[in-house]
Amino acid sequence: MLELVKKNIHMNRWKGNATSQITLDDDFIVPDSMDDVEQIILSSGEITMDSVKNQAERVVVRGKMDFTILYRGAEGGLCTLSGSINFEEPINVPGLDEKDLVSVSCDLEDLNAGIINSRKLSVKAIVTLQVKVETLCDVDAAVEVDTKPASGDAPSVETLRKKVDVATVALHHKDTFRIKDTISLSGNKPNIDHILWNEMILRGVTTRPTNGKMMLDGELMVFIIYQGEGENAPVQWMEESIPFSGEIEVPDVTEDMVPVVTVRLIHRDIEAKPDSDGEMREIDVDAVLELDMKLYKEESMELLNDLYSTNRDLALQTGEACFDKILTKNMSKCKIVEKITLDQADRILQICHSEGTVKIDDTEVKEDGLHVEGVLEVKILYMTSDDTQPIQCAVEDIPFHFLIEAPGINDLTICQLNPGLEQLSAVMIGGGNVEVKATISLDLLALQPVCEQIITGVTDSPMDFNNLQKLPGIVGYIVQPGDTLWKIAKKFHTTVDTIMTTNGLTESTIKPGDRLILVKEVS
């Protein structure tokens, strides 16, 4: 009798994705303790997802958008107003099962703060939610055949194996990394009365798996606008880069795994504090990063592709196993150099801060690559010569396109693209022009779905010797197109080794028109 030795292939296969765009809109009253609104200078928002739940072919996402607005008051001073808008959005995902793995990413596409009147502001935002679904698959595929003698001799079995590369999700892990530091004001800056505005931005973040750990490094850019201490003190600003590096314990991770890591700021806190002389000249920075780590492992295995016996009749049961293999992992750099002209250019004294957001508009599969189109939204904050409007902000969109190399890519390829901003600078070059230089990172993991026929079972029975005797004992054969030694050996009841020995072949490659002598095997 024959028994198949099987191996379980555990796979996470992409099942599909869905996208939903929602509009957040609300009005907010300016507190009585704050000045009337004369002009909005800056606005920023951040999306926080509180829960993601699978419900009968749909995903329900609950979260909120926290926003901050910097405005110039009627009396000329700067004020900061904060608030939040809650949302709950059901997203239809056909075929979704409760056991499927769901990941949701959110992007704040647009935030617009407007003045209704001096005591009331409107806040509108467009949020894009993208749902990606993976399903767990387990397939038992034959990798070997075990022959055990029954009433007679053991079956003489010939096997054909096929090598396949399978990408499986080895682990999916979330963790946090904390950055704490203290920034001191330079000597030419006045003491801090109170902080009006602050921003934290991640730049150039890289991750690398090692055995049992995930290595992390990058820069935390900190920008602050504050009111100087003392009567009639001017508004001040400062910008500081805090480099960081560290490691996160991740059991079972190995350095040969392929990482897909998303890093985002989930907590940021900035507080002014006195220095050793009791003067408000130091700033405590506290930031928490969340790392969503998915690590793929490539496994190469040999599956039984076909088998037959020279002394038994075999009936094969077959099936199909579909899995993903890693087509490419490519970290590309797209460099941008662009000149833009700002409004009120003649009044600009100095650019004090710039930040950018990478937005992908479209991706298209091209020959041997993925073509990416998007925009870099650049926000430039600058000081003016107008004492009534000392700080102004301009937002410019810079389009870009780039071809990420991915040999073998096609319309079935599953592309996981993670864009980021590594470097950004904005410098006045005269004539009211600003030169913007940026480096955009495009981290692509391309998975290729592959389906293979596998052997799931086999039954054997005694050989029909009447049919065997009808086959000639020796025959001359001319190789036909599509022939292989395996196909010929199976058809004429012989073995590949016998054909090679009989014909003096040193390799198994044959071509149409070759002449072979075939000798029937009789066990």
Side-chain angles (χ1 to χ4, degrees), residues 34 37-46 65-73 77-83 108 110-115 121-124 195-201 222-226 235-239 351-357 377-384 389-396:
M34 297 177 65
V37 181
E38 184 71 22
Q39 181 195 19
I40 293 176
I41 298 174
L42 282 172
S43 60
S44 69
E46 184 177 56
M65 182 193 72
D66 295 315
F67 67 86
T68 305
I69 297 171
L70 179 68
Y71 70 87
R72 181 170 60 85
L78 298 182
C79 302
T80 305
L81 175 67
S82 300
L108 182 58
D110 188 34
L111 175 63
N112 185 22
I115 301 174
L121 302 178
S122 69
V123 178
K124 297 180 181 180
I195 294 175
L196 294 165
W197 183 266
N198 68 82
E199 291 179 5
M200 291 189 194
I201 303 168
V222 179
F223 174 70
I224 297 169
I225 301 175
Y226 71 91
V235 171
Q236 298 288 325
W237 61 273
M238 66 163 295
E239 189 168 29
I351 293 177
C352 53
H353 176 61
S354 61
E355 65 172 275
T357 304
E377 184 184 85
V378 180
K379 185 185 293 184
I380 299 174
L381 202 66
Y382 55 90
M383 308 293 290
T384 76
Q389 302 179 14
I391 296 180
Q392 292 295 307
C393 179
V395 179
E396 297 285 342

Side-chain angles (χ1 to χ4, degrees), residues 283-477:
I283 300 162
D284 275 346
V285 177
D286 185 6
V288 178
L289 314 185
E290 180 187 69
L291 284 79
D292 189 345
M293 297 170 280
K294 185 187 294 182
L295 291 115
Y296 288 85
K297 187 170 186 178
E298 287 187 288
E299 184 176 359
S300 182
M301 62 181 68
E302 284 193 340
L303 305 181
L304 281 183
N305 193 37
D306 196 9
L307 66 155
Y308 68 92
S309 174
T310 55
N311 63 355
R312 304 282 287 179
D313 282 335
L314 305 183
L316 304 183
Q317 292 87 51
T318 61
E320 189 177 62
C322 295
F323 50 88
D324 298 324
K325 71 174 184 179
I326 295 177
L327 185 65
T328 187
K329 180 73 163 69
N330 192 337
M331 171 67 85
S332 301
K333 312 283 187 184
C334 175
K335 295 186 181 296
I336 293 176
V337 178
E338 188 79 12
K339 293 180 182 179
I340 59 177
T341 302
L342 300 182
D343 294 335
Q344 303 176 340
D346 57 329
R347 295 163 50 197
I348 298 175
L349 295 178
Q350 184 181 13
I351 293 177
C352 53
H353 176 61
S354 61
E355 65 172 275
T357 304
V358 180
K359 297 180 179 180
I360 304 298
D361 292 331
D362 187 40
T363 58
E364 182 182 359
V365 173
K366 300 276 190 177
E367 185 177 355
D368 291 338
L370 183 70
H371 185 260
V372 180
E373 289 190 357
V375 296
L376 174 63
E377 184 184 85
V378 180
K379 185 185 293 184
I380 299 174
L381 202 66
Y382 55 90
M383 308 293 290
T384 76
S385 58
D386 188 345
D387 293 337
T388 63
Q389 302 179 14
I391 296 180
Q392 292 295 307
C393 179
V395 179
E396 297 285 342
D397 286 341
I398 301 175
F400 71 89
H401 59 88
F402 192 82
L403 182 65
I404 304 174
E405 293 183 4
I409 194 172
N410 57 39
D411 291 335
L412 298 177
T413 306
I414 300 161
C415 296
Q416 301 182 58
L417 181 61
N418 186 20
L421 185 61
E422 287 200 354
Q423 296 177 349
L424 175 67
S425 66
V427 180
M428 293 293 299
I429 56 175
N433 293 320
V434 176
E435 184 177 67
V436 176
K437 292 183 178 181
T439 301
I440 296 172
S441 62
L442 298 167
D443 189 5
L444 172 66
L445 174 65
L447 300 175
Q448 189 65 37
V450 177
C451 290
E452 297 282 355
Q453 180 177 290
I454 60 172
I455 298 174
T456 58
V458 60
T459 56
D460 67 303
S461 58
M463 175 71 69
D464 187 340
F465 286 100
N466 289 328
N467 288 334
L468 180 61
Q469 288 176 351
K470 295 178 182 178
L471 292 175
I474 188 169
V475 65
Y477 182 76

